[in-house]
Each structure stands twice: as structure tokens, then as C-alpha cells.
């Protein structure tokens, strides 16, 4: 049997409640000979059953640690799939129609090593990630972990992501890609919508675990020590720092 064309990993970052919407959008946009792998970081039983029913035979269910961090899950994803291409879609993200095909086209053309969509927040037209200049396909020096795609060969070149990085994962991944000489491309022809809302009845334990202040402080310290930068301030300051230091090295 030939290897699948694309595996999409549906990865929980800090909540579970939006997963049915995320999975339905992924399945609607899934290319032929492709699969979705749902990583179970502690889905409530009723929600897990709903996801399995939605996915049918196009879904593979994969156990992982309870409240596992996204880098650990990504490493597990790479190790347990054999597809030609891999895509991360976090489970609070809704792919817009045509996004998967556009990202695959960017990779196939050799334009970039890692392809990412424009990310909107809660509704299309409310930018969450769309670095300047907007409206055109371009190479950028940063990305959002919400959604990204790359070939298996690029994933192996990138190597394992830092499993101690509970937050600052966008910054850490962007700098790691730069260190390996891997180009990130973004296109307005692929879009995704990030849903910030959480359902406390479903998500509270996971969300509290993910944003525990001691764990966040430890991740900030790890970024500071690893990349020799000061990870203070808002996310926009982090992205500005990344733009200003394209040659940063460990």
C-alpha cells in the first residue's frame, strides 16, 4: 500500500471544546489518500465519541499524555506517521475551504519549506496572524503554531521540537526554523480561523494546566537561556524581536 499523501494532526493546545468544528473543517478540506490523526490528550468521553463518529475511517485515534504540550504531540505525530506531507492543525482552528490544497501547492512549488495560512480570530476579516506586506504570498521569519504544513523530509531535517517549551512555542519554532535554514511562506489564498473562546465546563482543567504561572515562567526562562534573548512583553514584541534578529543562534 502506498504511503498517504498527507497526514493532518489535530492537536489540542489548551482546550477541547472546539474540536468538532475543527475536525469537520479538516475533513471537508482533506485531499484524497490522506488521513487525520486526533491526539487524545484527555477528551471527555462524550466529546471523544462525537469526534470518532465525525471522522469515520478517515480518522486515526492516537493516545498521548493527558494535557500533553503541543511540541510533545508534534514529535509523536512525526514518529507515528509515514505520509509524504504533515500538517499541524490545533483543535481550536477552523480551516477555510481550499486551505490544505493551497498549502500543499506552496510546498510542491518549492516556494518555501513550511507553509502557513493567514489566521483570522473568531471571524474572517479580523486578523490574528497576517504579517506585512499583506495580500500577497511572501516569505516571513515567524509563524503561528495554529496551523503549519511541511514535507516529511523537512520535518526530519527540523528534528524534534523542544518538549519542555509549554509556551513561547511560536517563537521557539520560528527561531529553530531559522537555525536550520528553513523558509516559512504565508499566502492569502489559504485561511484559517482561530477560536479563542473556551467552554469552562469542558476546558477549565486543561486551560489552567496550560497557563499555570509557574509553568509559563519556566518556559520564559527556557527561551531566555536557549536563545539568549529576554522573553518579556507582549506577543507582538516577540515577533518584532524575531524579525530584528534573523541570524540569531544558540
Amino acid at each position: 500500500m502506498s504511503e498517504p499523501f498527507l497526514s493532518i494532526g489535530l492537536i489540542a493546545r489548551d482546550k477541547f471544546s472546539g474540536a468538532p468544528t475543527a475536525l469537520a473543517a479538516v475533513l471537508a478540506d482533506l485531499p484524497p489518500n490522506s488521513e487525520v490523526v486526533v491526539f487524545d490528550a484527555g477528551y471527555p468521553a462524550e466529546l471523544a465519541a462525537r469526534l470518532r463518529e465525525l471522522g469515520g475511517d478517515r480518522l486515526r485515534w492516537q493516545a498521548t499524555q493527558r494535557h500533553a504540550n503541543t511540541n510533545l504531540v508534534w514529535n509523536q505525530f512525526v514518529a507515528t506517521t509515514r505520509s509524504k506531507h504533515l500538517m499541524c492543525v490545533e483543535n481550536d482552528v477552523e480551516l477555510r475551504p481550499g486551505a490544505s490544497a493551497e498549502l500543499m501547492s506552496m510546498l510542491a512549488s518549492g516556494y518555501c519549506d513550511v507553509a502557513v495560512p493567514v489566521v483570522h480570530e473568531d471571524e474572517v476579516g479580523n486578523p490574528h496572524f497576517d504579517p506585512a506586506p499583506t495580500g500577497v504570498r511572501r516569505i516571513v521569519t515567524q509563524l503561528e503554531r495554529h496551523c503549519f504544513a511541511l514535507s516529511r523530509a523537512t520535518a526530519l531535517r527540523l528534528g524534534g521540537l523542544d518538549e519542555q517549551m509549554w509556551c513561547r512555542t511560536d517563537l521557539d519554532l520560528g527561531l529553530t526554523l531559522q537555525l536550520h535554514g528553513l523558509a516559512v511562506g504565508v499566502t492569502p489564498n489559504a485561511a484559517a480561523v482561530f477560536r479563542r473562546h473556551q467552554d469552562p465546563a469542558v476546558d477549565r482543567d486543561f486551560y489552567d494546566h496550560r497557563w499555570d504561572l509557574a509553568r509559563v515562567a519556566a518556559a520564559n526562562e527556557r527561551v531566555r537561556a536557549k536563545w539568549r534573548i529576554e522573553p518579556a512583553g507582549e506577543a507582538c514584541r516577540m515577533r518584532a524581536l524575531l524579525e530584528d534578529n534573523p541570524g540569531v543562534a544558540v
Side-chain angles (χ1 to χ4, degrees):
M1 183 176 178
S2 62
E3 62 188 2
F5 172 69
L6 171 66
S7 287
I8 297 180
L10 194 70
I11 296 176
R13 182 173 68 114
D14 57 17
K15 54 181 93 75
F16 296 123
S17 57
T21 298
L23 177 58
V26 164
L27 291 169
D29 208 47
L30 195 65
N33 189 30
S34 298
E35 65 171 359
V36 183
V37 185
V38 174
F39 285 87
D40 183 6
Y43 282 101
E46 192 172 308
L47 187 52
R50 185 177 174 193
L51 295 175
R52 289 177 184 270
E53 183 179 2
L54 270 173
D57 59 8
R58 293 181 292 173
L59 183 149
R60 180 160 58 86
W61 196 263
Q62 179 75 48
T64 189
Q65 294 179 13
R66 179 171 175 79
H67 298 165
N69 73 54
T70 56
N71 283 356
L72 184 154
V73 177
W74 174 261
N75 291 343
Q76 187 178 1
F77 179 47
V78 175
T80 57
T81 56
R82 293 292 175 268
S83 299
K84 294 180 180 178
H85 299 91
L86 305 173
M87 186 188 301
C88 167
V89 177
E90 293 186 344
N91 72 348
D92 52 8
V93 171
E94 180 185 351
L95 289 183
R96 302 302 298 156
S100 298
E102 179 66 18
L103 297 181
M104 292 300 100
S105 176
M106 288 180 73
L107 297 177
S109 71
Y111 180 76
C112 57
D113 300 297
V114 179
V116 300
V118 169
V119 181
H120 306 266
E121 185 168 328
D122 293 328
E123 60 182 20
V124 173
N126 182 29
H128 178 80
F129 171 79
D130 190 11
T134 59
V136 296
R137 186 175 73 168
R138 65 271 192 200
I139 298 297
V140 296
T141 56
Q142 81 271 30
L143 75 166
E144 290 274 352
R145 273 293 307 265
H146 299 300
C147 177
F148 63 93
L150 68 176
S151 68
R152 167 163 294 280
T154 297
L156 295 177
R157 181 177 168 188
L158 176 62
L161 301 183
D162 188 341
E163 295 181 5
Q164 297 182 56
M165 200 66 67
W166 278 88
C167 63
R168 304 300 186 189
T169 52
D170 298 337
L171 177 62
D172 185 64
L173 177 56
L175 291 169
T176 303
L177 290 168
Q178 288 185 24
L179 188 65
H180 286 81
L182 297 169
V184 179
V186 63
T187 171
N189 296 324
V193 179
F194 162 56
R195 310 291 186 186
R196 187 176 293 279
H197 173 74
Q198 55 171 305
D199 180 349
V202 177
D203 302 323
R204 184 179 298 280
D205 288 348
F206 192 5
Y207 201 83
D208 287 350
H209 181 81
R210 171 66 167 75
W211 296 108
D212 173 79
L213 291 179
R215 187 172 289 111
V216 169
N220 283 339
E221 174 57 25
R222 184 161 184 80
V223 168
R224 187 200 64 76
K226 181 177 180 179
W227 298 107
R228 299 176 187 172
I229 59 176
E230 181 53 54
E234 300 298 325
C236 59
R237 288 187 58 203
M238 291 297 91
R239 298 190 182 105
L241 182 148
L242 190 62
E243 291 282 1
D244 293 339
N245 292 273
V248 70
V250 294

